[in-house]
Amino acid sequence: MTETESSFELILSTITDGVVVVDQLGKVVYANRSAELIFERGALLGKDLAVPLHPDATFQDINLIRRSGIGWAELRSAPVTWNNKPAYVIGVRDITERKENEISMRQAAAVIESTREGLMVTDTDKFIVRINPAFTEITGYTEAEVIGKTPQILRSGRHDAKFYADMWENILNTGHWQGEIWNRRKNGETYPELMSIDVVKDSAGRICNYVSVFTDISKIINTQSELDFLAHHDPLTRLPNRLLLMSRLQHGIQRAQRDGKYLALLMIDLDRFKDINDSFGHVVGDELLQLVAGKLLVHLREIDTICRLGGDEFTVLLEDVAGTEDAAHVASDIIRDLSEPYCLSNGAEVRIGASVGISIFPGHGTTPEQMLQQADSALYQAKIEGRGCFTYFSESLTLAARERIDIEVRLRRAIQQGELRVYYHPQVEIGSGRITGAEALVRWQDPVEGLILPARFIHIAEVTGLIGEVDDWVLRETCEQGQRWRAAGLPPLTLAVNLSAYQFLQGDISDTVAQVLSDSGFPAANLELELTESALMKRETESIQILNQLRGIGVRLAIDDFGTGYSSLAYLKLFPLDVLKIDKRFIDDVPAHRDDMEIVAAIVAMAHTLRLKVLAEGVENELQLTYLKTLGCDQFQGYLCSQPLPAAEFEKLLKDRARVY
Ligand code: C2E
Ligand code: MG
Ligand code: MG
């Protein structure tokens, strides 16, 4: 080796790049130290490197196979003459690290480009230097619009300066911040995002960038707030539900207590809603409920709460009412409005009604539960009083409600155990003074309480449907008793039986009556059925039909309690009737009240022109009887003759006093 050769050798051994010379067959004829380190194959001399070689001097990246795995090298080769033979010299640079960095950079870039999370990189002066496509998608700003600006352009204005100061303090102290932040899109819309900010430091530990990654959580928040909403609202009408009502009521009571104001709770129940729901189906029923909700909202002031308790029950909480009368005004407005016809999307026009029960604070209860319960009791009373009206709660109504439940349970048992009785109230022919018949009145012989009058249980029986059994039993018992009296040879009697509206409209009432008559043998002509005006008016055309069927059987028909309902004589013409019973309340004030006397006179006269017999109820004294006599009234019933009597006593009365007046 010449001196030049050996210094050349020395030079080659100090450079970090590898230098290899291969002969024409590819065998290594020279390798420096670095080459042996790069290839990791020990002494390279004489080995076959199997690297593709170019005849021209070129740069190329090739895979470098190393013992410990695959790395990267950059090769540059050139033909040389080595020991007088043609050969190639190859410069080898290990670029594995650079290559791997490049790959991971590309992967990172792909992630950044494709992620759904928004990304924003700022420099230390907080100028935006980089964003990703998701940033544009979320905020609406393109790269050109934000590069060089600060994130201030995204501020929603929802957070105060302290919020941002705290955030930056956290970032600088811990290198990290994460939280919910409201920002503003380019279109002005504010939205919540979940954001995390990290600092990026250089190798010397100095902050060089801030990277923030964020997710638009408005959809999640919307779902969450919808869930919150639904927890406190009715999904159909979107009105507050019972839960929200109770909490508003609680606060309302506290406020009213503090300010000395009134608070009113109106409980509304729709009349006939069930009919519409049943005949048109639930979709129409739902639509109707939404229309009702809309109408109710018209009556709402900002501070009031309208709520749907479920079904067709709504409540209105009126706060800060001047007096109890205010609630009555709102209630009657609501009843009027809800009774207007509704046009449904199926083209049908329907009408419903509404009843309202009212409880007032202070006065009716001090807790939300009490107020609700008392409005409910008042509503029940409103419905008894004929629907389409409102009723206030009072303490007596609660007691009535409690009794109602108690009576219902006991009455059911009483029917089964045969505790019902029929009492007979004599009917006297005024002209002859003779008892010509009796009204059958039901009594309940309770083993503990004794005799219970119908006023205490007829309403309850009507509401619960028990009335059907009661009326059927009274009808059968009366006909059987009448037949026994006939068999015993008593003078012929007309026996009158009361029919409740419920029973009257049952549909098969004429079948029932015919059956009872044929079973008992009691003549149809001696049976009179008493109906009230309201029963007849409930379903006018149907009523006429049923009355005609009953007439066909041969029974007599009477209108009971005349004067307490519609009291339209013209209307009465429509119905085939035989007897009109003037209600006791008009007789009570005879002869003290001129007005009532004139009404009685007019009723008698007009009934006669309609060819109806007239019976006066509740005659208690001779003066009343004398007056009725002058009017030509046909019959009377009343304590003047007798109280209602059990069958045996009535029979005795008949025998003792063949002629009473
Ligand atoms: P109503 O059909 O009008 O019966 C007349 C009521 O007035 C009876 O009361 C009778 O005892 C009472 N009364 C008659 N004359 C006088 C009088 O001079 N002075 C006073 N103070 N009262 C008199 P009652 O028996 O308590 O019946 C009340 C109501 O209960 C009846 O009124 C009727 O609507 C109903 N009711 C009675 N029995 C039955 C029944 O079997 N079925 C049905 N559905 N209702 C019945
Ligand atoms: Mg009656
Ligand atoms: Mg009556």
Side-chain angles (χ1 to χ4, degrees), residues 425 439 441-443 454 471 498 560-561 584 617 620 639:
H425 200 209
E439 178 180 4
L441 295 165
V442 72
R443 299 289 180 266
D471 280 359
N498 292 284
D560 200 358
D561 304 340
K584 178 176 176 300
E617 286 187 288
E620 294 183 342
Y639 292 178

Side-chain angles (χ1 to χ4, degrees), residues 20-24 26-31 44-47 80 82-83 86-88:
V20 180
V21 181
V22 294
D23 64 15
Q24 273 185 310
K27 281 211 161 48
V28 176
V29 292
Y30 172 80
L44 290 174
L45 217 58
K47 286 192 175 140
V80 287
W82 190 266
N83 291 337
Y88 294 95

Side-chain angles (χ1 to χ4, degrees), residues 499 501 503-510 531 536 539-553 555 557 576:
L499 275 192
Q503 188 68 353
F504 177 64
L505 293 168
Q506 266 314 287
D508 54 358
I509 183 66
S510 54
L531 296 152
L536 295 182
R539 282 191 234 157
E540 193 185 301
T541 28
E542 235 179 299
S543 293
I544 296 173
Q545 243 175 5
I546 301 171
L547 290 177
N548 279 323
Q549 283 170 3
L550 290 169
R551 260 279 180 89
I553 297 171
V555 298
L557 300 169

Side-chain angles (χ1 to χ4, degrees), residues 341-358:
Y342 295 78
C343 296
L344 301 171
S345 56
N346 68 355
E349 190 188 281
V350 297
R351 276 172 189 274
I352 50 170
S355 305
V356 180
I358 306 168

